[in-house]
Amino acid sequence: MRRFLFSLLLAAFIAPLAAQPDETYNFNPGRPGFAYGSTPLIRHTLSAEAFVRTDGFAYMPLTEAGHVLNRYTVRYSPLDRLELALGVGLEHIPSNPAGQRTMLSPLSLMARINILKKQGNLPGLAFIGELSLPVGAGSSEAVSPGVNPTGVIAIDHNYKRFSFIYNVGAEWLLDDHGVDLFYAFMVCYGVDTKGRWNIYGEFVGHHAWAWDFEDGNDEWKFKGILYDLKFRFGADFFITKNLKLDFSFALNPFYVELQGEIGLSYGIPLKKLQR
């Protein structure tokens, strides 16, 4: 984690020197928060994103429950309505039967396809497809033994300085023979007129079905409407018009789970094209 935080500080110092000017704070990375917006990156923009997240349970010592995830993602929009992304990371698990260990998190391939552009108060619509691939396959260090596809419908709209994001999606857990249906709702508010400062609140919930092999039943079982419920609050700030810092805190009230996250996004406009 110390190396990651040092990298954040180094990037925050260097990036403003190399950042290319833009007319507005319209760099739209995949951060922060869980929910996806409908708008891809500006065409021919490359986005490099990194974050560190730590979570644990309030009733357990951090040394036993503190799970740490570093995630790195590169995004690129070759077309106005298409964004492609590649992500991978490192996970540190402090307590498990095999002892502490650090491993690669699943490799993800993502595409965001804009169907309706968000204009004024009119909503935008997009489909997001993601493929989570196992890393370290064939070894005990693999995080996910199978390929997990995810599909998300994203709708969002603006009202004055507010923006609202609605997501409904499903992840097929092929290795667990289960389906995770999830939903997310986010409210964002631009603190200043240029959109340099933003604050947000987010609600994420899961429905989960899994295949039950116990007692020879072999049937789908519903795991609950509030499975893995989280409330998240955070903010982001544009250090320059291409460099964005964000941080957030999340709470799962049913499991007394706490989560903190800090991230950095840097946009590189390869061509000066506006929407």
Side-chain angles (χ1 to χ4, degrees):
M1 184 185 297
R2 291 180 180 177
R3 292 181 180 178
F4 177 82
L5 294 176
F6 176 76
S7 299
L8 282 181
L9 294 174
L10 184 63
F13 176 77
I14 295 176
L17 304 179
Q20 301 181 33
D22 201 352
E23 294 181 0
T24 58
Y25 297 97
N26 57 5
F27 165 47
N28 179 36
R31 302 195 46 76
F34 176 88
Y36 288 102
S38 68
T39 306
L41 289 169
I42 295 174
R43 185 181 178 189
H44 296 310
T45 297
L46 186 69
S47 172
E49 304 167 16
F51 73 83
V52 59
R53 175 193 302 160
T54 181
D55 58 357
F57 298 96
Y59 54 84
M60 294 179 65
L62 187 62
T63 54
E64 297 181 8
H67 173 263
V68 179
L69 171 64
N70 296 342
R71 190 76 183 171
Y72 309 92
T73 304
V74 176
R75 302 176 189 271
Y76 176 67
S77 278
L79 304 172
D80 282 341
R81 293 176 178 248
L82 175 64
E83 174 186 301
L84 305 174
L86 173 67
V88 73
L90 292 172
E91 292 189 50
H92 176 72
I93 301 176
S95 180
N96 61 75
Q100 294 192 23
R101 57 178 178 163
T102 300
M103 64 190 76
L104 287 172
S105 62
L107 179 72
S108 65
L109 306 175
M110 189 271 282
R112 174 161 39 183
I113 304 170
N114 180 258
I115 300 171
L116 294 175
K117 284 190 175 182
K118 183 174 59 174
Q119 297 180 347
N121 293 329
L122 297 178
L125 173 66
F127 174 77
I128 296 98
E130 185 174 2
L131 206 57
S132 179
L133 305 174
V135 179
S139 75
S140 60
E141 298 303 308
V143 173
S144 173
V147 177
N148 296 331
T150 301
V152 181
I153 298 295
I155 300 173
D156 58 354
H157 65 92
N158 296 334
Y159 178 73
K160 296 183 179 179
R161 293 192 190 180
F162 288 93
S163 60
F164 304 87
I165 300 176
Y166 315 86
N167 282 184
V168 177
E171 180 181 9
W172 287 265
L173 308 172
L174 302 185
D175 52 316
D176 291 334
H177 303 280
V179 179
D180 182 13
L181 300 183
F182 55 86
Y183 49 91
F185 172 66
M186 177 188 285
V187 179
C188 305
Y189 177 73
V191 178
D192 62 347
T193 56
K194 292 184 178 181
R196 188 171 189 177
W197 268 104
N198 300 280
I199 57 176
Y200 75 94
E202 182 181 50
F203 169 83
V204 181
H206 290 250
H207 294 63
W209 279 263
W211 194 259
D212 182 21
F213 295 101
E214 296 180 2
D215 301 325
N217 293 328
D218 290 351
E219 61 182 9
W220 289 97
K221 277 196 173 181
F222 180 56
K223 296 178 68 175
I225 189 172
L226 298 178
Y227 179 73
D228 197 20
L229 179 69
K230 280 189 175 68
F231 296 92
R232 183 183 299 275
F233 304 93
D236 61 70
F237 173 72
F238 283 90
I239 301 173
T240 73
K241 294 182 180 181
N242 299 83
L243 182 65
K244 183 178 182 180
L245 176 69
D246 66 82
F247 57 90
S248 65
F249 299 92
L251 169 67
N252 184 326
F254 291 89
Y255 297 100
V256 199
E257 180 184 3
L258 304 174
Q259 186 180 91
E261 184 171 310
I262 182 171
L264 194 68
S265 309
Y266 181 46
I268 306 170
L270 302 183
K271 294 183 180 180
K272 291 299 294 180
L273 291 178
Q274 299 296 324
R275 294 192 188 279

